[in-house]
Amino acid sequence: MSPVEIPSEQWAQVVEKTGGPAVYKKIPVPKPGPDEVLINIKYSGVCHTDLHAMMGDWPLPTKMPFVGGHEGAGVVVARGELVKDVEIGDYAGIKWLNGSCLSCCYCQQSDESLCPNPLLSGYTVDGSFQQYAIGKAAHVARIPKECSLETISPILCAGLTVYKALKESGARPGQEVAIVGAGGGLGSLAIQYAKAMGLHVIAIDGGDEKGEMCRSLGAGHYIDFSKTKNLVQDVKAATPDGFGPHAVLLLAVSEGPFQQASEYVRSRGTIVCVGLPAGAYLKAPVFDTVVRMITIKGSYVGNRQDTAEAIDFFRRGLISAPYKVVGLSQLQEVFDLMKGGKIAGRYVVDTSK
């Protein structure tokens, strides 16, 4: 393949100070190192983590200034001399985990996300809210050519994250899983992955629009927390035997649901924490947790094999991410909607606009 012409400058959204805003400006196009690839990002999903990064909500410091984004799908246009398994012209994706050491005890056991020295896209290294982004070749997502880059971008974080969480829950086909925050970007995908994995979904969120979306995606029950008089009772009643769901996925961005889940999960059930509300803490009664043998655990992002599996569900037509496309130049408007809790599904930015 003939060399691809790569410009020296590109459009990007740059966060120049904690709290933002993101500034749409031209910056230099980076050059890949020996073990890296340069991806011409066509589309990038917008994740709540991107807002957390800009606002400085987490105890982990960001680089500053930085380019956010970690759901970037595009085409490989350059590669380092050590890269042999990624070709120019391949479809590839920038994920949250941009790179890891590959030699620590966690990396050796396929827990790369727990590496003590990770490179995090759009946080500790520049991410996908730019037209050309760098990724470690070992960690970029391999995207089949038959997949649409526009539609697959939310799978690279949101899809992968909820698929991993469902695996971590241990829920088996035919069992019930409650998804809290089901009407958001993560939740809209979690419903579909759960259904594809043979699980029955109880969706929990607020508002009629989110309820309609959750049902259309395959949720068997929708519980509106803004209308219910007794959420715990309603969740239990949505299960065939009234004992509650076998697993709960907490995708919420506020602390309250994390305190309540242990009240409605069934005995020997599993609560999986995924959402990261700023400054939030978990709380559950010790007596109840012990005598009902409840498991409470966290689930971060998937490893490279989880990524391949999550993408394969999408490739087979089992997952369809509800999303709206806007130009990269409109990213700050998306953040403003996100702050107001006014997003159902996912936003995707087109880097050419």
Side-chain angles (χ1 to χ4, degrees):
M1 182 178 288
S2 58
V4 178
E5 187 173 338
I6 301 169
S8 59
E9 283 192 321
Q10 59 167 333
W11 285 102
Q13 286 279 8
V14 182
V15 176
E16 298 178 326
K17 61 180 181 179
T18 300
V23 179
Y24 188 57
K25 61 189 289 188
K26 280 200 167 184
I27 64 171
V29 172
K31 290 181 168 53
D35 61 344
E36 297 173 335
V37 295
L38 179 66
I39 301 173
N40 178 199
I41 302 294
K42 301 296 186 182
Y43 299 93
S44 182
V46 185
C47 177
H48 216 275
T49 295
D50 299 314
L51 179 59
H52 284 307
M54 183 177 74
M55 301 308 294
D57 287 335
W58 294 346
L60 179 68
T62 62
K63 74 184 289 283
M64 192 64 69
F66 72 91
V67 175
H70 56 273
E71 291 182 345
V75 182
V76 177
V77 293
R79 66 179 189 176
E81 62 267 26
L82 299 179
V83 180
K84 306 299 180 187
D85 60 336
V86 181
E87 302 293 336
I88 305 299
D90 282 357
Y91 282 6
I94 295 290
K95 309 184 310 253
W96 171 245
L97 188 65
N98 192 287
S100 69
C101 73
L102 298 179
S103 60
C104 69
C105 60
Y106 297 111
C107 286
Q108 290 190 45
Q109 296 180 74
S110 300
D111 275 330
E112 304 99 275
S113 62
L114 303 180
C115 178
N117 297 298
L119 300 176
L120 305 176
S121 300
Y123 207 97
T124 63
V125 297
D126 287 337
S128 54
F129 293 149
Q130 55 183 334
Q131 293 173 313
Y132 292 87
I134 294 288
K136 293 290 184 183
H139 285 278
V140 294
R142 272 63 167 176
I143 300 174
K145 278 287 180 75
E146 65 261 38
C147 293
S148 159
L149 294 174
E150 177 182 312
T151 55
I152 202 173
S153 60
I155 303 300
L156 300 177
C157 174
L160 172 59
T161 298
V162 297
Y163 174 65
K164 176 68 169 179
L166 287 164
K167 288 177 70 175
E168 289 287 331
S169 78
R172 299 191 299 274
Q175 295 183 335
E176 287 81 32
V177 58
I179 299 173
V180 186
L186 288 171
S188 61
L189 291 166
I191 292 170
Q192 296 175 78
Y193 275 104
K195 183 180 178 183
M197 295 164 77
L199 301 170
H200 300 294
V201 176
I202 302 166
I204 303 171
D205 214 313
D208 293 336
E209 181 187 4
K210 290 185 177 182
E212 290 173 13
M213 186 184 76
C214 289
R215 290 190 186 95
S216 71
L217 293 174
H221 299 271
Y222 177 71
I223 297 170
D224 188 333
F225 67 75
S226 67
K227 296 180 179 179
T228 179
K229 293 180 180 178
N230 190 324
L231 187 138
V232 171
Q233 185 177 325
D234 288 351
V235 174
K236 287 185 174 182
T239 61
D241 56 13
F243 291 153
H246 298 80
V248 180
L249 258 62
L250 291 169
L251 311 178
V253 294
S254 59
E255 186 175 22
F258 287 77
Q259 318 292 17
Q260 194 173 35
S262 65
E263 297 179 40
Y264 57 73
V265 71
R266 74 168 50 217
S267 296
R268 205 183 265 283
T270 300
I271 298 168
V272 185
C273 304
V274 180
L276 295 168
Y281 283 87
L282 280 167
K283 184 180 179 182
V286 173
F287 181 85
D288 213 37
T289 303
V290 172
V291 301
R292 294 180 53 219
M293 299 179 69
I294 295 170
T295 299
I296 302 174
K297 65 193 303 188
S299 180
Y300 192 24
V301 291
N303 61 25
R304 289 171 289 173
Q305 181 59 34
D306 295 323
T307 303
E309 293 170 8
I311 287 174
D312 192 57
F313 272 90
F314 176 87
R315 183 191 63 79
R316 289 184 284 146
L318 298 171
I319 309 297
S320 175
Y323 67 94
K324 299 175 184 176
V325 179
V326 298
L328 176 62
S329 60
Q330 296 171 267
L331 178 64
Q332 186 58 47
E333 296 171 33
V334 178
F335 283 153
D336 292 339
L337 289 171
M338 196 176 279
K339 287 178 185 177
K342 297 177 181 177
I343 294 178
R346 205 76 166 171
Y347 267 85
V348 171
V349 294
D350 179 342
T351 64
S352 69
K353 298 177 182 177

